[in-house]
């Protein structure tokens, strides 16, 4: 094991916890500065009673301490719109957002990495040129635009469900439920994953090109090692470090992009729940969704940082 790996992991874990803490603190300040008065009606007595029940009339330091104490127990308060615990609502929706995010990342990685290796290892050629052109087009189409495009195609062709969530009978069984979920998951995955795949392709292409320009690669080619072996066995390993280093940012873009995708395609995940919370000015629910998103983002960044160090241990000593 590299001697600097353990301190590096501790530093990254601390940074991940700080990210969650900052987000939680920010939404608590938002709840203190802009209390959701409309959710309680206009009766001053009802408003005062509800503010007292929820603790919004206490000083900010006391609210912050109470928030931290509840958050440690995974108690994020009560939803003003649904009149249910926020933690329960997040648990119901988090699985769908996680499924969408993982499927989009899997699609983006499966398409982006090989495409980047192709365009980075070949200076010319019709296939490499077409791949570069497609990446440029997809990069200019954010998830919101891609959601509208795939929704239009689905509505015109009828090949796939145009948004929504699977509706299966109670006794349909795991097979039927999985098949129904897969059909409804295709469009959101394409809308969210294709722009990310273009980003990965651009990153991988530049990284593989830089790896092939290393002196050791030139020496291997001079010794007669086939180009394909150099690319897939040696240059690929060198090129993965820079790609993994920004994978945390890619995970963040997936989380932020899922908000628009879930709303447009009616995918019942955290993004749609956050949208409903903002519409209803349900700040405790919005805060819980933001905190859950921060946890997912922090975990994603932490995992990718550790993976980058495992691929290239020099990163631990440089940071």
């Amino acid at each position: 094991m590299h001697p600097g790996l353990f301190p590096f992991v501790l530093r990254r874990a601390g940074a991940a916890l700080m990210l969650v803490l900052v987000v939680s603190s920010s939404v608590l300040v938002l709840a203190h500065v802009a209390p959701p008065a409309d959710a309680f009606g206009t009766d001053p007595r009802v408003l005062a009673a509800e503010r007292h029940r929820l603790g919004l009339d206490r000083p900010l330091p006391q609210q912050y301490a109470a928030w931290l104490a509840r958050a440690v127990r995974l108690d994020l308060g009560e939803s003003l719109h649904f009149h249910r615990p926020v933690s329960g609502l997040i648990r119901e929706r988090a699985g769908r957002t996680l499924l969408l995010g993982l499927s989009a990342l899997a699609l983006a990685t499966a398409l982006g990495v090989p495409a980047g290796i192709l365009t980075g290892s070949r200076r010319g050629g019709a296939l490499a040129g077409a791949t570069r052109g497609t990446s440029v087009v997809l990069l200019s189409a954010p998830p919101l635009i891609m959601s509208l495009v795939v929704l239009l195609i689905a509505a015109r062709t009828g090949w796939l469900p145009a948004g929504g969530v699977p509706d299966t009978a109670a006794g349909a069984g795991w097979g039927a439920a999985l098949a129904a979920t897969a059909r409804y998951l295709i469009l959101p995955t394409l809308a969210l994953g294709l722009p990310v795949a273009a980003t990965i392709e651009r990153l991988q292409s530049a990284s593989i090109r830089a790896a092939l320009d290393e002196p050791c690669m030139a020496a291997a080619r001079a010794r007669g090692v086939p180009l394909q072996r150099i690319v897939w066995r040696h240059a690929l390993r060198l090129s993965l470090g820079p790609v993994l280093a920004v994978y945390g940012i890619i995970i963040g873009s997936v989380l932020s992009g899922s908000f628009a995708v879930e709303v447009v395609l009616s995918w019942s995940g955290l993004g749609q729940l956050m949208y409903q919370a903002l519409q209803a000015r349900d700040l405790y629910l919005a805060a819980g969704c933001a905190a859950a998103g921060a946890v997912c983002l922090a975990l994603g960044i932490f995992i990718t940082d550790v993976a980058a160090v495992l691929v290239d241990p020099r990163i631990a000593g440089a940071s």
Side-chain angles (χ1 to χ4, degrees):
M1 180 181 294
H2 192 274
L5 179 60
F6 185 69
F8 176 84
V9 170
L10 286 181
R11 290 195 300 269
R12 287 298 185 263
L17 290 176
M18 184 59 65
L19 174 62
V20 177
L21 181 62
V22 168
V23 172
S24 303
S25 303
S26 300
V27 295
L28 182 62
V29 171
L30 177 63
H32 180 78
V33 173
D38 291 350
F40 308 137
T42 58
D43 189 334
R45 290 176 298 181
V46 175
L47 175 60
E50 288 298 314
R51 282 174 55 83
H52 178 72
R53 183 177 70 87
L54 296 173
L56 295 176
D57 58 346
R58 292 182 294 175
L60 181 58
Q62 294 183 16
Q63 292 188 44
Y64 185 65
W67 169 270
L68 289 180
R70 291 197 305 266
V72 171
R73 303 191 304 267
L74 300 180
D75 180 8
L76 300 177
E78 178 183 331
S79 169
L80 307 177
H81 178 66
F82 294 99
H83 304 289
R84 293 178 53 193
V86 171
S87 300
L89 290 169
I90 291 177
R91 282 195 297 268
E92 291 178 1
R93 301 293 188 93
R96 290 186 179 276
T97 295
L98 184 61
L99 176 62
L100 174 59
L102 290 177
S103 61
L105 279 175
L107 175 67
T109 304
L111 294 178
V113 171
I117 294 173
L118 171 67
T119 57
S121 60
R122 296 186 183 182
R123 304 294 181 179
L127 182 58
T131 303
R132 293 190 190 97
T134 303
S135 294
V136 171
V137 172
L138 292 177
L139 278 174
S140 63
L144 176 60
I145 303 300
M146 285 299 301
S147 299
L148 296 174
V149 170
V150 298
L151 182 61
L152 176 62
I153 294 175
R156 290 291 183 88
T157 61
W159 293 340
L160 292 169
V165 294
D167 184 14
T168 57
W174 285 99
L178 183 60
T181 301
R183 292 188 70 247
Y184 281 86
L185 186 62
I186 292 175
L187 288 184
T189 298
L190 291 174
L192 187 58
L194 289 179
V196 179
T199 302
I200 295 177
E201 184 275 327
R202 292 287 80 199
L203 292 171
Q204 182 65 61
S205 179
S207 185
I208 199 76
R209 193 177 299 118
L212 289 173
D213 290 337
E214 291 287 336
C216 59
M217 300 299 166
R221 296 185 65 178
R223 291 196 301 268
V225 180
L227 178 60
Q228 293 298 320
R229 182 176 179 180
I230 293 175
V231 170
W232 291 98
R233 280 202 173 186
H234 306 289
L236 177 59
R237 180 179 176 84
L238 289 178
S239 68
L240 286 180
V243 176
L244 287 175
V246 297
Y247 222 78
I249 302 176
I250 293 174
I251 293 175
S253 68
V254 170
L255 289 175
S256 61
S258 66
F259 182 94
V261 172
E262 290 182 10
V263 172
V264 173
L265 296 176
S266 301
W267 183 261
S268 298
L270 286 178
Q272 192 181 66
L273 185 63
M274 182 93 169
Y275 177 70
Q276 294 171 343
L278 293 175
Q279 277 189 318
R281 298 186 64 188
D282 191 345
L283 293 182
Y284 278 114
L285 182 56
C289 292
V295 170
C296 295
L297 177 59
L299 286 175
I301 294 176
F302 175 74
I303 292 172
T304 53
D305 284 344
V306 174
V309 171
L310 294 177
V311 172
D312 188 0
R314 295 174 298 177
I315 297 176
S319 61

Coordinates of all heavy atoms in Angstrom, one line a residue, residues 149-178:
V149 N -36.1 16.0 -26.5 CA -35.9 15.3 -27.8 C -36.4 13.9 -27.7 O -37.2 13.4 -28.5 CB -34.5 15.4 -28.2 CG1 -34.2 14.5 -29.4 CG2 -34.1 16.8 -28.5
V150 N -36.0 13.2 -26.7 CA -36.4 11.8 -26.5 C -37.9 11.6 -26.2 O -38.5 10.7 -26.7 CB -35.6 11.0 -25.5 CG1 -34.1 11.0 -25.8 CG2 -35.8 11.6 -24.1
L151 N -38.4 12.6 -25.5 CA -39.9 12.6 -25.3 C -40.7 12.8 -26.6 O -41.7 12.1 -26.8 CB -40.2 13.7 -24.3 CG -41.7 13.8 -23.9 CD1 -42.1 12.5 -23.2 CD2 -41.9 15.0 -23.0
L152 N -40.2 13.7 -27.4 CA -40.8 13.9 -28.7 C -40.7 12.6 -29.6 O -41.7 12.2 -30.2 CB -40.2 15.1 -29.4 CG -40.7 15.4 -30.9 CD1 -42.2 15.7 -30.8 CD2 -39.9 16.5 -31.5
I153 N -39.6 12.0 -29.6 CA -39.4 10.8 -30.4 C -40.3 9.7 -29.9 O -40.9 9.0 -30.7 CB -37.9 10.3 -30.4 CG1 -37.0 11.4 -31.1 CG2 -37.7 9.0 -31.0 CD1 -35.6 11.1 -31.0
A154 N -40.4 9.5 -28.6 CA -41.2 8.5 -28.0 C -42.7 8.7 -28.3 O -43.4 7.8 -28.6 CB -41.0 8.4 -26.5
A155 N -43.1 10.0 -28.2 CA -44.5 10.3 -28.5 C -44.9 10.1 -29.9 O -46.0 9.7 -30.2 CB -44.8 11.8 -28.1
R156 N -43.9 10.4 -30.8 CA -44.2 10.2 -32.3 C -44.2 8.8 -32.7 O -45.0 8.3 -33.5 CB -43.2 11.0 -33.1 CG -43.4 12.5 -33.0 CD -44.7 13.0 -33.7 NE -44.8 14.4 -33.6 CZ -44.4 15.3 -34.5 NH1 -43.7 14.8 -35.6 NH2 -44.6 16.5 -34.4
T157 N -43.2 8.0 -32.2 CA -43.1 6.6 -32.6 C -43.9 5.6 -31.8 O -44.3 4.6 -32.3 CB -41.6 6.2 -32.6 OG1 -41.1 6.3 -31.2 CG2 -40.7 7.2 -33.4
G158 N -44.1 5.9 -30.5 CA -44.7 4.9 -29.7 C -43.9 3.7 -29.3 O -44.5 2.7 -28.8
W159 N -42.6 3.8 -29.6 CA -41.8 2.6 -29.3 C -41.6 2.4 -27.8 O -41.5 1.2 -27.3 CB -40.4 2.8 -29.9 CG -40.4 2.8 -31.4 CD1 -41.4 2.2 -32.2 CD2 -39.5 3.3 -32.3 NE1 -41.2 2.4 -33.5 CE2 -39.9 3.0 -33.6 CE3 -38.2 3.9 -32.2 CZ2 -39.2 3.4 -34.8 CZ3 -37.5 4.3 -33.3 CH2 -38.0 4.1 -34.6
L160 N -41.5 3.5 -27.0 CA -41.3 3.4 -25.6 C -42.3 4.3 -24.9 O -42.8 5.2 -25.4 CB -39.8 3.8 -25.3 CG -38.7 2.9 -25.8 CD1 -37.4 3.6 -25.6 CD2 -38.7 1.6 -25.0
P161 N -42.5 4.0 -23.6 CA -43.4 4.9 -22.8 C -42.9 6.3 -22.7 O -41.7 6.5 -22.4 CB -43.4 4.2 -21.4 CG -43.0 2.8 -21.6 CD -42.0 2.9 -22.8
A162 N -43.7 7.3 -23.1 CA -43.3 8.7 -23.1 C -43.4 9.3 -21.7 O -44.2 10.1 -21.4 CB -44.2 9.5 -24.1
G163 N -42.5 8.8 -20.8 CA -42.4 9.4 -19.5 C -43.3 8.5 -18.5 O -44.0 7.6 -18.9
G164 N -43.2 8.9 -17.3 CA -44.0 8.2 -16.3 C -43.2 7.2 -15.5 O -42.0 7.1 -15.7
V165 N -43.9 6.4 -14.7 CA -43.2 5.3 -13.9 C -44.0 4.0 -14.2 O -45.2 4.0 -14.6 CB -43.2 5.6 -12.4 CG1 -42.4 6.8 -12.1 CG2 -44.6 5.9 -11.9
P166 N -43.3 2.9 -14.0 CA -44.0 1.6 -14.2 C -45.2 1.4 -13.3 O -45.1 1.7 -12.1 CB -42.9 0.6 -14.1 CG -41.9 1.2 -13.2 CD -41.9 2.7 -13.6
D167 N -46.3 0.8 -13.8 CA -47.4 0.5 -13.0 C -47.7 -1.0 -13.2 O -48.3 -1.4 -14.2 CB -48.6 1.3 -13.5 CG -49.9 1.1 -12.6 OD1 -49.7 0.5 -11.5 OD2 -51.0 1.5 -13.0
T168 N -47.3 -1.8 -12.2 CA -47.4 -3.2 -12.3 C -48.4 -3.7 -11.2 O -48.5 -3.0 -10.1 CB -46.1 -3.9 -12.1 OG1 -45.5 -3.5 -10.8 CG2 -45.1 -3.6 -13.2
A169 N -49.0 -4.8 -11.4 CA -49.9 -5.3 -10.5 C -49.2 -5.9 -9.2 O -48.0 -6.2 -9.3 CB -50.8 -6.5 -11.1
A170 N -49.9 -6.0 -8.1 CA -49.3 -6.4 -6.9 C -48.7 -7.8 -7.0 O -47.6 -8.1 -6.4 CB -50.3 -6.3 -5.7
G171 N -49.3 -8.7 -7.7 CA -48.8 -10.1 -7.8 C -48.1 -10.4 -9.1 O -48.0 -11.5 -9.5
A172 N -47.6 -9.3 -9.7 CA -47.0 -9.5 -11.1 C -45.7 -10.3 -11.0 O -45.2 -10.9 -11.9 CB -46.8 -8.2 -11.7
G173 N -45.0 -10.2 -9.8 CA -43.7 -10.9 -9.7 C -42.5 -10.0 -10.1 O -42.7 -8.9 -10.7
W174 N -41.3 -10.5 -9.7 CA -40.1 -9.7 -9.9 C -39.8 -9.5 -11.4 O -39.3 -8.5 -11.8 CB -38.9 -10.4 -9.2 CG -38.9 -10.2 -7.7 CD1 -39.4 -11.1 -6.8 CD2 -38.5 -9.0 -7.0 NE1 -39.2 -10.5 -5.5 CE2 -38.7 -9.3 -5.6 CE3 -38.0 -7.8 -7.4 CZ2 -38.4 -8.4 -4.6 CZ3 -37.6 -6.9 -6.4 CH2 -37.9 -7.2 -5.0
G175 N -40.0 -10.6 -12.2 CA -39.7 -10.5 -13.6 C -40.5 -9.4 -14.3 O -39.9 -8.6 -15.0
A176 N -41.8 -9.4 -14.1 CA -42.7 -8.4 -14.7 C -42.3 -7.0 -14.2 O -42.3 -6.1 -15.0 CB -44.1 -8.8 -14.5
A177 N -42.1 -6.9 -12.9 CA -41.7 -5.6 -12.4 C -40.4 -5.0 -13.0 O -40.3 -3.9 -13.3 CB -41.7 -5.6 -10.9
L178 N -39.4 -5.9 -13.1 CA -38.1 -5.5 -13.6 C -38.3 -5.1 -15.1 O -37.7 -4.2 -15.6 CB -37.1 -6.7 -13.5 CG -35.7 -6.4 -13.9 CD1 -35.1 -5.2 -13.1 CD2 -34.8 -7.6 -13.8

